[in-house]
Amino acid sequence: MKNVHEIEIEVKGSEWENILDATFTKRNKELEVDGFRKGKCPKNIYLQKFGIESLFMDAVDTAVGKAYTDALRENNLVPVCEPGMDVKEIDKDHVKFSFTIITKPEVKLGKYKDLDVKKDKVKVSNDEIDSEVARLCSRFAEIVVKEEGKVEEGNTAVIDFEGFVDGEALEGGNGANYPLEIGSHTFIPGFEEGIVGMSVGETKELNLKFPEEYTKELAGKEVKFNVTVREIKERVLPELNKEFYADLGYDDIETEEDFRKEVKKAIEERKNEEAKNKYLDDVLEEAAKNMEIELNPEIIHDEVHRMIHQFEDQMRMQGISLDQYLQFTGGSREDLHKQMEPEAEKRVKYRYLIEEVAEAENIEIDDKAAEEEAEKMAAQYAVEKDEFLTHFGGLEVVKYDMKMRKALEILGGEEVK
């Protein structure tokens, strides 16, 4: 492939000798050799005892960084993924590296404007509004003691229960003052259904059966539960009034009609954003079909690793390590890598497509525009501009981000403006 560059570099003579000397000096500081104080072993004694070959690995690590930088500069190359590196020859006089450097692949744009892609029309039904209103009310519902009546679906029954299998008390099958939400399906099938209709103080015997897919010891076995209802609680939804609207942040709303209008507006905004994102993805998919590009496996591999690191960070924020996640799902890192490959390939293709559109459209971002954008973004995060730029990657990254967004606007046309 044209974007794969094999470069060989040799480090020899005094340069290699100086690297070996520096490696020995560093290692000698922590070295303990019989007959010498720590860090005071003469070089000739060290070489007699350990051989010069013992310095090669660390010396290569030192030499390779400079050699790689020199290779990029001298050949005017910009890598797009981690390079391959191989040590061809090494001895006391020289070391010879071979680098495999992959640069941006050639991209040939096809048609990317006026594509036959339509944006979904957004509609909001009364059922959707009702559902959202119910969800918002549920957030502010109060759990109160039900003074009269019987256990109903959605109630929380506070119960004492005791289970028996084959006439023996079921291990772990008892509890006192246990709050059971009816409809949560916390217990085996039939348990919650059997409590519906009971009153406070009532005791009932439930004759049930463990599911076949239950634990091996109990699967399919008959079980008897003695259940007593101690208390019944119910969810009381808030009234649709000014106080409730204010709690939701709608200080100026007084009527249910106006509240429903605001709810409809919020749903429309969300659905419009979803429609826009889907439209852009459809446009990118169509434009990517029209372009020509040959992706190196190494580029996709690099993108997969980036995605895995992002996924690992997300898991960590939820208090789960990647190893724990893999243990729960019964997968492996190799499985995860393979699962992510199609999405990684799509991301890389879309990125190169957008970059090429930006070039074709001669999109340029000047320093002033980038500075203003940085100020705006810093304000959104409530930090100083310099602090924002440090974390974001600098002004050039802001320019790149703006450039890509403008290219996306061109790809999407009027639908995304």
Side-chain angles (χ1 to χ4, degrees):
M1 297 172 76
K2 291 180 180 179
N3 65 325
V4 178
H5 310 271
E6 296 285 349
I7 296 173
E8 206 169 78
I9 288 185
E10 184 180 20
V11 180
K12 59 183 179 179
S14 60
E15 184 180 1
W16 179 236
E17 186 178 337
N18 290 339
I19 291 173
L20 288 172
D21 283 343
T23 302
F24 163 72
T25 301
K26 183 179 179 181
R27 181 169 292 187
N28 194 30
K29 287 179 182 177
E30 301 301 320
L31 191 65
E32 293 186 10
V33 177
D34 291 344
F36 300 95
R37 283 182 295 140
K38 185 177 179 180
K40 298 299 182 180
C41 177
K43 185 177 180 182
N44 64 317
I45 301 297
Y46 173 90
L47 295 177
Q48 287 174 20
K49 189 172 181 64
F50 301 104
I52 195 168
E53 295 81 9
S54 65
L55 301 174
F56 287 168
M57 186 174 291
D58 288 345
V60 163
D61 288 343
T62 301
V64 73
K66 183 176 183 303
Y68 179 58
T69 303
D70 291 345
L72 297 181
R73 186 183 66 253
E74 291 167 11
N75 294 277
N76 196 28
L77 299 175
V78 179
V80 294
C81 59
E82 287 295 316
M85 193 277 287
D86 188 27
V87 179
K88 296 289 187 182
E89 299 173 11
I90 188 168
D91 58 30
K92 64 182 181 62
D93 299 315
H94 79 302
V95 61
K96 190 176 284 186
F97 303 107
S98 173
F99 292 108
T100 302
I101 299 170
I102 297 174
T103 55
K104 182 178 176 179
E106 183 182 0
V107 179
K108 291 184 180 177
L109 279 177
K111 184 179 179 181
Y112 63 88
K113 290 180 180 177
D114 303 319
L115 299 171
D116 189 23
V117 177
K118 302 296 181 188
K119 184 178 175 183
D120 293 341
K121 300 234 180 260
V122 169
K123 292 181 181 178
V124 179
S125 67
N126 282 328
D127 285 346
E128 287 176 302
I129 297 172
D130 290 342
S131 178
E132 182 63 10
V133 169
R135 188 189 69 81
L136 292 170
C137 287
S138 181
R139 276 176 50 195
F140 289 83
E142 287 185 71
I143 307 296
V144 299
V145 174
K146 190 174 181 179
E147 300 295 345
E148 296 180 355
K150 300 182 179 185
V151 177
E152 297 177 281
E153 188 76 16
N155 288 170
T156 294
V158 180
I159 60 173
D160 294 343
F161 64 95
E162 190 174 14
F164 299 89
V165 174
D166 297 331
E168 299 289 331
L170 174 63
E171 186 179 349
N174 59 80
N177 292 315
Y178 184 91
L180 176 62
E181 183 182 344
I182 307 302
S184 65
H185 308 296
T186 307
F187 281 56
I188 63 172
F191 191 96
E192 292 173 29
E193 293 84 347
I195 296 174
V196 172
M198 291 180 68
S199 303
V200 173
E202 183 180 349
T203 297
K204 188 175 183 180
E205 183 179 289
L206 303 178
N207 292 293
L208 306 172
K209 202 173 185 180
F210 283 104
E212 294 297 333
E213 64 274 11
Y214 211 71
T215 60
K216 186 178 178 181
E217 299 78 13
L218 297 173
K221 282 199 169 189
E222 293 183 351
V223 57
K224 180 181 80 172
F225 284 101
N226 293 327
V227 182
T228 301
V229 175
R230 296 299 179 192
E231 192 175 51
I232 305 172
K233 296 180 179 181
E234 61 182 341
R235 291 166 62 83
V236 177
L237 298 176
E239 290 184 31
L240 296 180
N241 54 29
K242 188 175 180 181
E243 183 182 350
F244 174 62
Y245 306 145
D247 286 340
L248 290 170
Y250 299 121
D251 294 323
D252 299 328
I253 292 178
E254 297 189 8
T255 67
E256 183 179 347
E257 182 184 358
D258 287 341
F259 173 56
R260 288 177 67 87
K261 285 179 182 177
E262 285 298 322
V263 170
K264 181 180 180 180
K265 180 181 172 184
I267 296 172
E268 279 178 339
E269 287 174 355
R270 186 187 73 238
K271 292 181 80 170
N272 272 318
E273 189 63 25
E274 289 169 355
K276 174 184 166 183
N277 290 336
K278 181 182 179 298
Y279 169 75
L280 276 175
D281 203 57
D282 291 344
V283 165
L284 288 167
E285 183 180 1
E286 195 63 30
K289 288 178 186 174
N290 298 334
M291 80 172 181
E292 293 179 27
I293 186 172
E294 188 177 1
L295 291 176
N296 313 69
E298 293 87 349
I299 295 177
I300 298 171
H301 180 85
D302 219 49
E303 184 67 21
V304 170
H305 274 275
R306 191 176 293 111
M307 289 169 63
I308 288 175
H309 284 312
Q310 290 172 349
F311 181 71
E312 194 168 7
D313 287 342
Q314 291 168 6
M315 289 294 101
R316 196 178 293 117
M317 287 174 69
Q318 296 175 35
I320 303 172
S321 71
L322 183 58
D323 287 337
Q324 286 173 322
Y325 169 80
L326 294 173
Q327 189 177 357
F328 296 152
T329 57
S332 65
R333 287 177 182 265
E334 290 73 23
D335 294 333
L336 189 60
H337 194 287
K338 200 161 191 64
Q339 289 167 17
M340 288 185 171
E341 281 177 6
E343 177 64 21
E345 182 175 357
K346 186 174 85 169
R347 287 189 185 188
V348 172
K349 278 185 177 178
Y350 288 2
R351 184 163 65 239
Y352 286 139
L353 167 67
I354 298 167
E355 287 178 355
E356 202 64 23
V357 168
E359 292 301 315
E361 295 289 335
N362 297 312
I363 298 173
E364 294 295 337
I365 308 295
D366 59 34
D367 286 352
K368 183 181 177 185
E371 293 280 2
E372 288 173 356
E373 180 67 11
E375 288 276 8
K376 192 190 305 179
M377 294 174 79
Q380 289 175 358
Y381 289 102
V383 296
E384 294 295 323
K385 185 181 76 173
D386 289 345
E387 184 183 347
F388 166 77
L389 286 173
T390 299
H391 289 289
F392 198 68
L395 200 63
E396 289 305 311
V397 177
V398 175
K399 285 184 180 180
Y400 177 84
D401 187 60
M402 293 175 70
K403 195 172 180 179
M404 294 302 99
R405 277 186 275 140
K406 284 185 177 292
L408 265 177
E409 286 179 5
I410 291 170
L411 276 160
E414 292 300 318
E415 295 287 4
V416 297
K417 291 181 180 177

